[in-house]
């Protein structure tokens, strides 16, 4: 059996898009798409004119023809929307989302996986974040309909996901617990997704993909392998130098003089203990060097998960101007303890003109209109509400949130969608700005650019990483 040595880091939103994942698959490794915010991304790609027709082509393969047609009728604009026009809004997720939103989410994840799988026969995965909880069931189901081979989830404790995948593969309903702030002890909230309600007569059993959990501690790795039923099929061990969100340091966040969280020996994962769990595992976070891949294999890892190096390849979803600016300037990376509404540290690239810069951040009027990172809370009257520490401060406080939690928070939802060239444009002329994340080893990206070239490709990265493997390692 072929050994895969490189797993694409799932990079939201749509940085690991279908084009990047397909390119990795064509190079013989495992391509992964990000499943985060795919509903709004599909709706906006269609409103941007779907220039090469890929969205509509993939929708034509979606099993529910009437749903595909409705989505195209609702969102597709021939030639694309006017540059100064706003996108048509879609509803934000709640515990009881409208059926149209569930259908859009299922279709969008199907589309991304379907396109990523074209042109090669290597496996494709989808990355989802446990903290972006509410769309996850519909996203998983859509990806499974698209034939996804791996579901990979981090940013939380995805204990219930293996049984969700089991249920969906058997065409059954599945539920997950929802964390509700202010709920009484023992009070449980769940969200259920019913394949039957979406698929109707088209409901079928589908192949079960494998499930990998992304973890940053031995305790969590052990729990997910030994105490979760069914167990996870594999692990991605992510170091705090990785791009995107990082697990908070164990024992709480203390900051150094630079304002970054202090990580120490307690945050290092003991690989010997991981090996003893006897499941395939991948190492993530600063492993992007040929010698480190050999080291990872020698440690017993299946391979390495690569994010930062792929993020700035020509095939990734970041807009061209961002890739160019990063490759030219190679700015510093700051582990921001406050930026993310999740409360997890988030790596931010100090690039001029982005929300990393105070003056750009302060110019943004706070608004919450995508809502993927909203927290669910229990109101005084017992009903549920939704709030985000990056929303307008007054509204957040009115909903019972603490003012201190709003400080320095950034609207990742809008920024990440702006990063891929689909920024919201408001009536007052304000255009959502970008905010770039990358791992601590960003400066190494340049070493992968071929002499004389001014851009980087997936093939350049993979060739250099696996080129030094011996036949027994490859
Ligand atoms: C631009 C970018 C976005 C990312 N977004 C996500 C994400 O949405 N979900 C996730 O699990 N990891 C995310 N990551 C982490 C990667 O999946 C991967 O684990 C990490 O990049 C590996 O370390 P490296 O950056 O040193 O290659 C992101 C990383 C980058 C660079």
């Amino acid at each position: 059996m072929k050994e895969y040595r490189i797993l694409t880091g799932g990079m939201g939103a749509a940085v690991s898009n279908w084009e990047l994942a397909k390119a990795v698959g064509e190079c013989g490794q495992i391509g992964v798409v990000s499943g985060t915010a795919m509903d709004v991304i599909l709706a906006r790609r269609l409103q941007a004119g779907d220039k090469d027709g890929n969205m509509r082509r993939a929708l034509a393969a979606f099993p529910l023809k009437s749903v595909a047609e409705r989505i195209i009728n609702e969102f597709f604009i021939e030639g694309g929307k006017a540059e100064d026009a706003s996108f048509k809004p879609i509803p934000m997720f709640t515990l009881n989302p409208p059926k149209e939103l569930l259908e859009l989410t299922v279709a969008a994840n199907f589309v991304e996986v379907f396109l990523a799988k074209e042109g090669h026969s290597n496996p494709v995965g989808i990355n989802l974040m446990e903290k972006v909880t509410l769309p996850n069931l519909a996203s998983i189901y859509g990806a499974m309909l698209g034939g996804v081979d791996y579901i990979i989830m981090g940013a939380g404790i995805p204990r219930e996901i293996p049984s969700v995948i089991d249920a969906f593969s058997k065409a059954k309903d599945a539920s997950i617990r929802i964390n509700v702030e202010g709920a009484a002890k023992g009070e449980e909230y769940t969200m259920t997704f019913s394949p039957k309600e979406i698929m109707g007569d088209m409901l079928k059993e589908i192949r079960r993909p494998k499930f990998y959990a992304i973890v940053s501690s031995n305790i969590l790795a052990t729990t997910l392998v030994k105490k979760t039923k069914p167990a996870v099929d594999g692990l991605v061990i992510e170091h705090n130098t990785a791009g995107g969100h990082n697990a908070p340091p164990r024992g709480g966040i203390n900051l150094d003089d630079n304002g970054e969280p202090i990580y120490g020996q307690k945050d290092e994962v003991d690989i010997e203990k991981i090996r003893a769990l006897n499941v395939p595992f991948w190492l993530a976070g600063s492993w992007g060097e040929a010698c480190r891949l050999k080291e990872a294999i020698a440690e017993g890892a299946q391979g390495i998960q690569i994010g930062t190096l792929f993020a700035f390849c020509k095939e990734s979803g970041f807009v061209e101007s961002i890739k160019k600016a990063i490759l030219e300037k190679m700015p510093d990376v700051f582990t921001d303890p406050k930026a993310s509404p999740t409360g997890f540290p988030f790596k931010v690239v100090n690039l001029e003109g982005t929300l990393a810069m105070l003056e750009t951040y302060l110019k943004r009027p706070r608004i919450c209109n995508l809502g993927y990172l909203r927290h669910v809370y229990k109101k005084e009257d017992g009903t549920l509400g939704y709030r985000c520490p990056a929303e307008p401060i007054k509204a957040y406080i009115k909903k019972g949130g603490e003012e201190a939690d709003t400080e320095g928070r950034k609207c990742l939802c809008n920024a990440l969608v702006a990063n891929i060239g689909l920024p919201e444009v408001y009536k007052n002329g304000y255009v959502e700005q970008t905010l770039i994340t990358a791992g601590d080893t960003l400066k190494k990206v340049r070493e992968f650019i071929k002499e004389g070239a001014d851009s980087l490709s997936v093939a350049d990265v993979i060739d250099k990483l696996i080129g030094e493997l011996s036949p027994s390692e490859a």
Side-chain angles (χ1 to χ4, degrees), residues 63 95 182 200 236 435:
L95 259 71
V236 177
L435 180 68

Side-chain angles (χ1 to χ4, degrees), residues 8-13 15 34 36 127-129 153-155 214 236 238 241-245 284-288 305-309 311-312 318 437-441:
T8 318
M11 297 180 281
V15 174
S34 164
T36 302
N127 174 286
L128 292 160
M129 289 171 54
M153 195 181 280
I214 305 174
V236 177
E238 194 176 66
T241 55
H245 284 94
S286 307
W287 285 88
Q305 175 170 274
I306 295 295
T308 301
L309 288 173
F312 302 99
F318 275 142
T437 181
D440 286 350
T441 50

Side-chain angles (χ1 to χ4, degrees), residues 311-388:
F312 302 99
C313 284
K314 62 181 192 318
E315 296 91 342
S316 87
F318 275 142
V319 288
E320 279 316 306
S321 54
I322 290 178
K323 292 178 200 170
K324 199 165 170 270
I326 297 278
L327 293 179
E328 263 171 33
K329 299 187 180 139
M330 286 291 143
D332 291 333
V333 174
F334 176 70
T335 307
D336 192 327
K338 289 202 172 141
S340 173
T342 62
F344 277 28
F346 184 69
K347 293 252 190 298
V348 167
V349 180
N350 282 331
L351 182 66
E352 291 292 329
T354 70
L355 293 168
M357 299 294 136
L358 188 63
E359 68 274 17
T360 311
Y361 169 63
L362 292 176
K363 273 190 205 145
R364 178 182 185 270
R366 280 188 178 227
I367 180 169
C368 179
N369 51 9
L370 295 179
Y372 296 101
L373 295 173
R374 292 192 303 174
H375 309 188
V376 189
Y377 72 100
K378 191 173 164 186
K379 296 191 205 168
E380 273 172 17
D381 66 3
T383 59
L384 297 184
Y386 300 83
R387 64 187 177 207
C388 176

Side-chain angles (χ1 to χ4, degrees), residues 33-64:
V33 293
S34 164
T36 302
M38 283 319 299
D39 48 356
V40 76
I41 290 170
L42 173 62
R44 290 193 181 182
R45 283 177 180 161
L46 289 167
Q47 289 169 84
D50 185 25
K51 206 164 108 266
D52 301 318
N54 289 308
M55 297 301 113
R56 283 163 293 157
R57 190 165 57 75
L59 279 169
F62 188 58
L64 299 171

Side-chain angles (χ1 to χ4, degrees), residues 158-170:
R159 277 182 93 146
E160 296 164 299
I161 305 302
S163 57
V164 166
I165 301 173
D166 268 5
F168 287 167
S169 70
K170 293 174 190 142

